């Protein structure tokens, strides 16, 4: 399966719609490369602080959400946290795209989550 690693700072911002348990939608700016793929991957680094970013908690509480890709394409996705060898492979690719992630990991004892956004089935 093809993955697009969504990086930060060096690439154009796109939107990831998240919301808390009270169903209030919030748009969180995320960055993503210009090539759409079947799956998108986002890294919940928060610069290496000891707490996950708020959008991570909101995102993982959702069954589906919407992302906006370059060119204005909107896609429904299902978020899930990558684990084991999948996380290791995606983390390595994310660090290749945005090397500061490796430094961020040294700032914290938490494992920085890598979230896979898989296409949600359309009704």
């Amino acid at each position: 399966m093809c993955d697009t690693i969504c990086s930060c700072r060096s690439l154009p911002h796109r939107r990831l719609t998240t919301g808390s348990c009270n169903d209030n939608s919030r748009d969180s700016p995320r960055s993503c490369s210009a090539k759409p793929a079947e799956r998108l991957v986002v890294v919940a680094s928060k610069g290496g602080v000891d707490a996950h970013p708020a959008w991570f908690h909101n995102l993982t509480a959702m069954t589906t959400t919407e992302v906006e890709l370059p060119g204005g394409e909107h896609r429904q996705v299902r978020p899930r946290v990558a684990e084991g060898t999948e996380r290791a492979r995606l983390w390595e690719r994310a660090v290749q795209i945005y090397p500061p992630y490796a430094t961020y990991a040294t700032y914290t004892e938490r494992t920085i989550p890598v979230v896979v956004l898989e296409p949600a089935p359309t009704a």
Side-chain angles (χ1 to χ4, degrees), residues 91-99 101:
W91 175 257
E92 183 178 314
R93 288 186 57 205
V95 169
Q96 288 172 351
I97 291 169
Y98 189 69
Y101 285 145

Side-chain angles (χ1 to χ4, degrees), residues 12-95:
H13 277 24
R14 298 296 165 225
R15 307 300 279 179
L16 170 65
T17 302
T18 62
S20 61
C21 295
N22 62 9
D23 290 332
N24 292 331
S25 290
R26 293 184 182 92
D27 284 340
S28 299
R30 295 288 122 236
S31 296
C32 192
S33 69
K35 294 182 194 174
E38 286 187 46
R39 300 186 319 169
L40 303 171
V41 177
V42 292
V43 177
S45 70
K46 198 176 180 181
V49 299
D50 286 328
H52 296 318
W55 66 261
F56 170 78
H57 297 290
N58 292 337
L59 181 63
T60 56
M62 303 175 84
T63 3
T64 61
T65 190
E66 182 177 275
V67 294
E68 180 182 344
L69 298 172
E73 175 192 351
H74 291 255
R75 184 183 299 174
Q76 293 293 314
V77 294
R78 280 196 176 145
R80 66 176 178 78
V81 179
E83 297 180 3
T85 57
E86 179 189 38
R87 185 205 174 272
R89 177 181 59 81
L90 294 172
W91 175 257
E92 183 178 314
R93 288 186 57 205
V95 169

